[in-house]
Amino acid sequence: MWAKNVIIRTMGTGIAVLVIGLLSACDNSEETHASHANHAEHGSQDLYLSEVPLHTNRMPAPEISAGGWVGEEVQLQKSRGKVILLDFWATWCPPCRAYLPHTESTWKKYRDKGLVVVGVHDTMGSKGAAGYMKEHNFTFPTGLDDGRTSQAYNVVAIPTYYLIDKEGNIAWGPEHAPPTNEIIEMLL
């Protein structure tokens, strides 16, 4: 009986430590994500941008299925020959909002070099996307997902980023932080 109680107490303590560790690792405060985006925008890319290498076995990228667009509609099939950065986001998502200035600066930096940045707004809250983008001067086109795009890309959490190569294949992603400039430049 004594040994059984010791095991139960030890397991209880272990579970408590695990839960506390997970909670502290999942800090979703706006301040934390704004800080991450600020570092990403001002040169601390190694800390907040994903350096995951490009895929060697690439699959064709599914088309974007949107119920509407903020900005010009983008069809992946018609964008062959260009590199595409997909940014799955939502106005209600603090980490997404924190990274949007970085997405916009990436768009401005590389659009004349062959990069197309496409936002894909989550189905929830998409009515406010156009106003939010206008208010914050975000100019990259954003599709208002009808649910099929996030399903086709297996998006289970946002933000999620993908890079599509010039041949229309998924070259990088899914990742929850944007790619480094070096990764983008490898595809351009």
Side-chain angles (χ1 to χ4, degrees):
M1 185 70 166
W2 174 83
K4 185 177 177 182
N5 286 338
V6 169
I7 291 171
I8 290 172
R9 285 186 190 145
T10 303
M11 286 177 53
T13 303
I15 291 171
V17 168
L18 177 63
V19 168
I20 291 169
L22 287 174
L23 289 175
S24 64
C26 297
D27 180 5
N28 284 329
S29 69
E30 286 193 43
E31 294 81 17
T32 298
H33 295 293
S35 172
H36 287 195
N38 185 45
H39 286 295
E41 194 172 346
H42 295 99
S44 299
Q45 293 178 355
D46 57 320
L47 296 176
Y48 303 106
L49 302 183
S50 179
E51 295 180 13
V52 171
L54 296 171
H55 298 310
T56 53
N57 297 323
R58 298 181 183 176
M59 303 291 292
E63 191 59 67
I64 296 170
S65 180
W69 284 85
V70 178
E72 189 175 324
E73 179 180 353
V74 176
Q75 295 178 349
L76 301 184
Q77 193 74 346
K78 292 182 179 178
S79 298
R80 292 278 166 88
K82 296 185 178 196
V83 175
I84 299 168
L85 172 63
L86 290 181
D87 178 353
F88 288 84
W89 68 282
T91 55
W92 52 262
C93 168
C96 300
R97 292 192 317 260
Y99 275 118
L100 286 176
H102 176 77
T103 300
E104 178 70 17
S105 66
T106 300
W107 163 240
K108 287 179 177 176
K109 180 175 183 173
Y110 291 110
R111 66 180 166 195
D112 293 334
K113 297 176 182 171
L115 179 72
V116 176
V117 172
V118 180
V120 180
H121 192 283
D122 188 71
T123 56
M124 207 170 20
S126 62
K127 289 182 181 177
Y132 185 84
M133 292 186 71
K134 183 176 181 179
E135 177 184 341
H136 296 281
N137 299 313
F138 298 135
T139 60
F140 56 90
T142 294
L144 306 177
D145 192 10
D146 62 12
R148 292 183 284 185
T149 306
S150 57
Q151 184 177 15
Y153 281 89
N154 296 315
V155 174
V156 295
I158 53 176
T160 296
Y161 300 88
Y162 282 91
L163 279 171
I164 300 170
D165 66 19
K166 293 177 181 180
E167 289 76 40
N169 298 310
I170 296 173
W172 182 90
E175 291 296 322
H176 298 296
T180 62
N181 290 341
E182 292 79 14
I183 290 173
I184 292 170
E185 289 168 4
M186 280 191 262
L187 290 171
L188 288 176

